[in-house]
Amino acid sequence: MRHLTIVGLIAALAVLPGMPASATEHGLLVAANTVYTLGPDAVAVEVQMSLTNTLPDREEAGVTFQYFFDKVSLPLPAAAANIRATSATGRRLAVSTEPVSDQLMAVTIDLPSLLLYSQRQEISLTFDLRGSEPRSEAQIRVNEAYAWFVAWAYGDPGRSSVAVRVPSDYEVEWIGGPAFVEEGPDGFQLGVGGIENPDEWYLAVSARIDDKLESSIIPFDSGAVEVRRWPGDEEWSAFMDSTVRRSFPRLVEMIGQPWPDRRIEVVESYTPTIYGYAGWYLPDAGRIEVGEELDAHVILHEAAHVWFNTALFDARWINEGLAEEFALQARLDSRLAGPNPPRSVGPEGEQALNRWEVPRFDREGVGDEEFYGYEASWLVTHELVAEIGTEGMAAVIAAALSDEIAYQGDGEVESVEPEDDWRRYLDLLQEVGGSERAEEIFREYVVTRLEEETLDDRAVARLEYGQIESLAGDWSLPMAIRRPMSDWDFAAARTAIAQATALLELRDEIDALAASLELDEPDLERSFESSETLNEVAVKMRSQEMALDAVAAAHGRFNQPRTLMERIGLVGVDVTDDLDQAGVAFEANDMEQAERSAGAVIAVLDRADDDGANRAAAAFGGAALVAGAGFGLVWRRRQAGSTTQTFSSPSD
């Protein structure tokens, strides 16, 4: 919504210059009951006044001075017509008017007779408030479909009452008052009695019958809108048709999101104006309401709110800034007239944009705050778009609408259930849009002091996040880090970063050792990247480390020089199968088998010396037996030629 300041009637509701505000000042006590009745083509107003002279006669030097009133004056809207005054008996009273300003006139009524001290007279004033043409200076609108007017009070404090009567086929909104509301079979009545501040009291009334609006469909390249206008306002209709066809396709293209497939209508309405706006978008109704002015920028701004509303971000300044910037870009690209940058903000109304909320217009200073809020919101957004481009901002919008995590990995982007606030917007601007200035701009315009302290914590966490991203190399960071960063839980994020740093350093050690053994380590990248907690990854990596250490130890033991006894012990023994099996099991991520096979190799090699000794001992004993048997045999053979044939056992 773009801000406009209410001007005209409301500002002119004080009594006319020279008209005392109370009986104690001017001596005329006025009690007044004012009734406004909305009709099909005008508001009929009747003011019933009871006038009492409170100035007593005065005697001075034998002379009696009498104070009397023969006229009464009061302010009326400049658009008032059919002005008529009558006495209590119905006699027509003379009326004269005098312009006071473009919006106001003074009406003077001749009283039926001189009004002397303590006397009272009853008179009635009636007039009509007829609707002015669209885009005319007068701010009263009354047509078949819509009425807007301001009711105010006459009379002295505590002696003033007002009633506003609206037929039942109208929908009614109002600001000002206070006022009571009564609903009957014939319509609404708004009003109040005993008004204590009639010079300040007012009620701005907006009444509409949408069924009497004229309607047409305007198609454009990527969608269509239904335009609903006041009867007979063909100029507004033609302007709307041209603006929609020329600029809406460009708006849709730049934002990068499709036009909604549900009904979106643009309604000519004065209602936003009474709240100080040129227009607004009502998401639940799918309705854009804009005033009668032929303002392409307002139309585009409100159309942009089809995307930029609380369904996107809950911060008012974000949605208003985005709507204003994209409206500006679409309008410039479409060569439509309107306000152009540069625009700037001053100190009046300055505030942290995160404090800028929908205002209460009865609060002092709200006008300055609204102006600052709109201009600063646009300025922030304009600087961001100047840095990352409309394409970068479109990527931010797409990620926000899709609930994508801001801190993204290499795989399919995860969805989150985010708080759609300024913090998420900042994350998306930096992580998705690639902005390097966003934090600086937020510190200058957006955050409160307390929120700036949170940004300090975030800056430390993001520094560590960048460092571990570099350490991770081709690996993406795990959800165990990215989720708390997205949730602004920086304590948890930094704890996870420290844990992940240790694991990545271990990964590098494992990589180096595996490479030295000409082994490909099992892929833990996916487990690491998708891990919500790093405990399971740590267990797997420690298991991998232990298995690889065992395989390395087996290789080291296998490659050691062997003693004579070890070589004897390994005669006929082949450990290369187990050694190869240890490497195969490691690469297949079977760490238990890798450790078993490596352990088997080491066990064989560790007992090779004993096995060699045993074999040597057994071989030595066998050689002695053979030698002894050979000796006995020779001996026996030698004895065979003798006459004495005595045999000796080798064991003897």
Side-chain angles (χ1 to χ4, degrees):
M1 290 176 268
R2 296 186 65 239
H3 177 70
L4 287 179
T5 303
I6 299 176
V7 296
L9 291 180
I10 295 177
L13 299 189
V15 293
L16 293 174
M19 289 183 59
S22 67
T24 57
E25 295 176 353
H26 56 60
L28 181 64
L29 187 64
V30 180
N33 178 41
T34 307
V35 178
Y36 296 79
T37 303
L38 177 59
D41 55 6
V43 179
V45 185
E46 181 177 9
V47 185
Q48 294 284 351
M49 289 179 283
S50 177
L51 310 175
T52 304
N53 184 345
T54 62
L55 292 176
D57 296 344
R58 179 173 60 87
E59 290 191 7
E60 185 176 333
V63 179
T64 300
F65 293 87
Q66 283 188 316
Y67 295 94
F68 62 87
F69 293 91
D70 61 352
K71 300 178 186 295
V72 63
S73 295
L74 61 158
L76 294 186
N82 299 328
I83 301 170
R84 179 175 178 175
T86 57
S87 68
T89 61
R91 180 164 67 89
R92 186 79 172 265
L93 303 177
V95 174
S96 62
T97 63
E98 180 181 356
V100 175
S101 68
D102 291 341
Q103 303 293 334
L104 207 61
M105 71 169 74
V107 174
T108 301
I109 305 170
D110 289 349
L111 298 181
S113 60
L114 298 180
L115 183 60
L116 302 177
Y117 172 64
S118 76
Q119 290 183 347
R120 185 175 64 187
Q121 292 184 9
E122 310 286 339
I123 65 172
S124 174
L125 172 68
T126 61
F127 56 92
D128 293 334
L129 298 176
R130 296 195 176 277
S132 304
E133 292 296 318
R135 293 167 293 283
S136 63
E137 291 296 326
Q139 293 191 16
I140 299 173
R141 300 289 182 266
V142 181
N143 58 52
E144 296 177 47
Y146 186 79
W148 182 84
F149 60 96
V150 177
W152 66 88
Y154 296 96
D156 291 316
R159 298 174 180 272
S160 174
S161 65
V162 174
V164 178
R165 297 170 181 168
V166 181
S168 58
D169 49 354
Y170 285 89
E171 294 182 15
V172 183
E173 294 182 63
W174 64 91
I175 60 172
F180 64 81
V181 183
E182 292 181 350
E183 186 174 358
D186 297 329
F188 299 90
Q189 178 164 301
L190 317 173
V192 65
I195 299 172
E196 294 297 332
N197 56 338
D199 294 342
E200 300 174 4
W201 187 95
Y202 72 90
L203 202 65
V205 180
S206 172
R208 57 196 297 168
I209 307 177
D210 285 352
D211 289 345
K212 293 187 177 181
L213 292 169
E214 296 177 352
S215 179
S216 61
I217 303 295
I218 302 177
F220 55 95
D221 286 352
S222 52
V225 295
E226 180 180 359
V227 172
R228 308 185 71 191
R229 63 186 178 275
W230 295 337
D233 195 352
E234 300 298 336
E235 184 182 14
W236 187 89
S237 179
F239 181 81
M240 183 63 66
D241 186 277
S242 173
T243 300
V244 168
R245 293 179 190 274
R246 288 176 59 183
S247 59
F248 274 38
R250 181 59 180 144
L251 184 67
V252 173
E253 179 185 2
M254 285 193 306
I255 294 174
Q257 299 296 316
W259 185 257
D261 57 5
R262 65 189 182 107
R263 176 190 179 196
I264 300 292
E265 61 180 13
V266 182
V267 179
E268 184 177 15
S269 173
Y270 212 81
T271 304
T273 305
I274 72 173
Y275 293 95
Y277 298 104
W280 54 40
Y281 172 64
L282 305 174
D284 292 342
R287 179 189 301 138
I288 298 167
E289 294 188 2
V290 294
E292 61 193 9
E293 299 300 326
L294 308 180
D295 191 332
H297 194 89
V298 170
I299 295 167
L300 283 165
H301 179 102
E302 301 309 330
H305 276 303
V306 168
W307 298 279
F308 305 138
N309 53 66
T310 53
L312 181 68
F313 291 108
D314 60 15
R316 184 186 182 202
W317 73 265
I318 300 176
N319 294 314
E320 291 299 340
L322 287 170
E324 185 71 355
E325 175 64 14
F326 277 95
L328 171 67
Q329 297 296 339
R331 182 175 57 77
L332 293 177
D333 285 359
S334 304
R335 300 178 182 274
L336 295 172
N340 295 326
R343 287 148 50 176
S344 61
V345 295
E348 296 81 6
E350 183 175 357
Q351 62 199 293
L353 286 176
N354 278 343
R355 294 189 181 277
W356 186 48
E357 299 178 348
V358 176
R360 287 177 42 220
F361 284 104
D362 59 348
R363 187 168 51 81
E364 186 176 352
V366 69
D368 288 339
E369 291 175 5
E370 283 292 278
F371 180 82
Y372 179 89
Y374 277 103
E375 293 302 297
S377 297
W378 170 80
L379 182 62
V380 166
T381 310
H382 186 67
E383 290 189 11
L384 291 168
V385 171
E387 180 194 9
I388 67 176
T390 54
E391 298 84 0
M393 189 61 79
V396 168
I397 294 164
L401 288 171
S402 301
D403 288 336
E404 295 179 0
I405 192 168
Y407 294 86
Q408 299 179 3
D410 288 338
E412 183 177 351
V413 180
E414 300 90 350
S415 295
V416 290
E417 297 180 359
E419 295 289 337
D420 293 319
D421 57 11
W422 67 274
R423 300 174 301 170
R424 174 159 166 78
Y425 186 42
L426 177 58
D427 283 346
L428 292 174
L429 285 167
Q430 293 181 295
E431 295 299 313
V432 176
S435 173
E436 296 181 357
R437 296 194 57 222
E439 182 178 329
E440 168 197 345
I441 293 172
F442 273 52
R443 286 180 182 273
E444 182 175 359
Y445 290 103
V446 175
V447 298
T448 64
R449 285 187 181 179
L450 186 60
E451 290 165 345
E452 191 165 6
E453 293 177 5
T454 305
L455 282 183
D456 293 339
D457 294 338
R458 177 180 183 268
V460 174
R462 281 180 61 82
L463 177 63
E464 295 180 4
Y465 186 88
Q467 291 170 343
I468 196 174
E469 272 192 314
S470 298
L471 179 62
D474 294 338
W475 286 21
S476 296
L477 296 186
M479 285 294 283
I481 296 173
R482 293 186 288 116
R483 189 181 295 278
M485 286 295 292
S486 177
D487 293 340
W488 285 50
D489 186 353
F490 301 124
R494 295 181 66 190
T495 298
I497 287 172
Q499 186 180 7
T501 299
L503 292 179
L504 290 171
E505 290 172 348
L506 178 58
R507 174 206 64 177
D508 293 342
E509 294 173 6
I510 292 172
D511 286 350
L513 183 55
S516 70
L517 298 172
E518 298 183 352
L519 295 176
D520 295 326
E521 70 273 21
D523 182 17
L524 285 179
E525 180 178 355
R526 183 168 299 177
S527 297
F528 178 83
E529 292 175 347
S530 62
S531 178
E532 291 282 356
T533 66
L534 291 169
N535 295 336
E536 183 178 349
V537 179
V539 169
K540 290 180 179 180
M541 200 169 287
R542 296 297 179 190
S543 175
Q544 192 178 94
E545 178 192 28
M546 292 172 61
L548 189 58
D549 284 345
V551 175
H555 275 271
R557 186 68 180 84
F558 180 80
N559 292 325
Q560 286 178 355
R562 295 188 175 86
T563 65
L564 175 61
M565 287 299 104
E566 286 177 332
R567 290 198 300 271
I568 293 172
L570 292 174
V571 172
V573 177
D574 186 3
V575 296
T576 57
D577 285 345
D578 281 335
L579 192 61
D580 291 342
Q581 180 58 39
V584 170
F586 175 79
E587 291 181 333
N589 203 22
D590 188 348
M591 300 305 156
E592 291 183 2
Q593 182 59 51
E595 287 195 66
R596 282 196 298 269
S597 296
V601 171
I602 292 173
V604 169
L605 294 176
D606 283 349
R607 69 173 182 263
D609 188 80
D610 291 341
D611 289 347
N614 290 335
R615 286 187 176 187
F620 178 79
L625 175 62
V626 169
F631 174 79
L633 178 61
V634 170
W635 181 80
R636 286 194 297 271
R637 286 178 180 172
R638 288 179 180 174
Q639 292 297 322
S642 71
T643 57
T644 304
Q645 298 184 2
T646 301
F647 293 89
S648 177
S649 169
S651 61
D652 291 344

